[in-house]
Amino acid sequence: MSNVNMEYLSRAEGWLFVTTLAYFLLNGAQLFETAVLVPKWTAAPPESFRYFKAPYGADLKTFWIIAHSIHEITFILAMVFCWKIEPVRNGLLVLFALHVAMRVWTLAYFAPNIIEFQAIANGKSFTTDLLSRAKQWRNLNYIRVGIFMAISIGLVPLLVKLTGLKNG
């Protein structure tokens, strides 16, 4: 930890706190969506897909793009400002790699499927068993949200370690 002074530690602690807070806020939104919204639209497709029907149907794409973008910027800033603190940096790199893997899974599976479900709600024809697809989406989403929560909880010991370095 060469070239690390109190100002550096304070800045690192601040950005790590901000990204931890942002991640927990994201978790709250994910938990709300998973507990309240997902059971509604996965209940009995295609009828339950009317939740997505234009022009007033739910489309959370913009919210999630903005929320994840803000969080990922804060995560990267936390890594930048914690870079000289090896144990914290290494922990952040592992958690960020896991986070990126989850985002890739989200973009490869969850996003395309929900976009298709929205299209079906708005008149696109379908040939597959929508109930089993929607249930699979819902069940995999439980796993995904749990992993995102575990990653965010993994930030807490890093923040405690950093605070200990600053106060020790």
Side-chain angles (χ1 to χ4, degrees):
M1 288 195 330
S2 61
N3 300 333
V4 174
N5 57 28
M6 194 57 67
E7 181 182 342
Y8 185 90
L9 289 171
S10 293
R11 195 172 304 129
E13 180 185 41
W15 279 109
L16 186 52
F17 177 78
V18 167
T19 200
T20 303
L21 179 63
Y23 221 140
F24 277 97
L25 290 171
L26 249 129
N27 286 344
Q30 288 175 332
L31 286 172
F32 175 80
E33 182 180 57
T34 298
V36 176
L37 306 179
V38 172
K40 298 284 187 197
W41 67 259
T42 60
E47 294 81 14
S48 58
F49 286 175
R50 70 176 152 222
Y51 176 80
F52 300 125
K53 188 152 178 59
Y56 304 109
D59 184 358
L60 301 174
K61 176 177 57 180
T62 302
F63 168 78
W64 285 117
I65 289 171
I66 292 169
H68 277 288
S69 297
I70 289 169
H71 170 257
E72 286 157 3
I73 289 167
T74 67
F75 207 136
I76 291 167
L77 286 169
M79 287 190 300
V80 166
F81 285 103
C82 292
W83 196 256
K84 294 179 184 177
I85 308 162
E86 187 175 348
V88 175
R89 176 191 67 217
N90 293 344
L92 285 172
L93 288 171
V94 167
L95 293 173
F96 191 72
L98 292 169
H99 174 81
V100 168
M102 294 305 299
R103 293 288 287 134
V104 167
W105 187 27
T106 296
L107 295 172
Y109 174 77
F110 292 95
N113 277 285
I114 202 162
I115 289 167
E116 184 175 358
F117 295 154
Q118 290 171 334
I120 290 168
N122 290 289
K124 179 184 174 195
S125 63
F126 61 93
T127 58
T128 60
D129 177 13
L130 291 179
L131 182 58
S132 67
R133 280 186 63 202
K135 283 183 177 181
Q136 179 179 353
W137 193 101
R138 181 191 63 215
N139 293 337
L140 290 174
N141 186 58
Y142 292 145
I143 295 167
R144 176 177 67 139
V145 170
I147 294 170
F148 272 128
M149 290 179 65
I151 294 168
S152 66
I153 290 168
L155 292 170
V156 174
L158 298 177
L159 186 57
V160 168
K161 180 182 288 276
L162 188 53
T163 301
L165 289 172
K166 186 178 159 215
N167 295 331

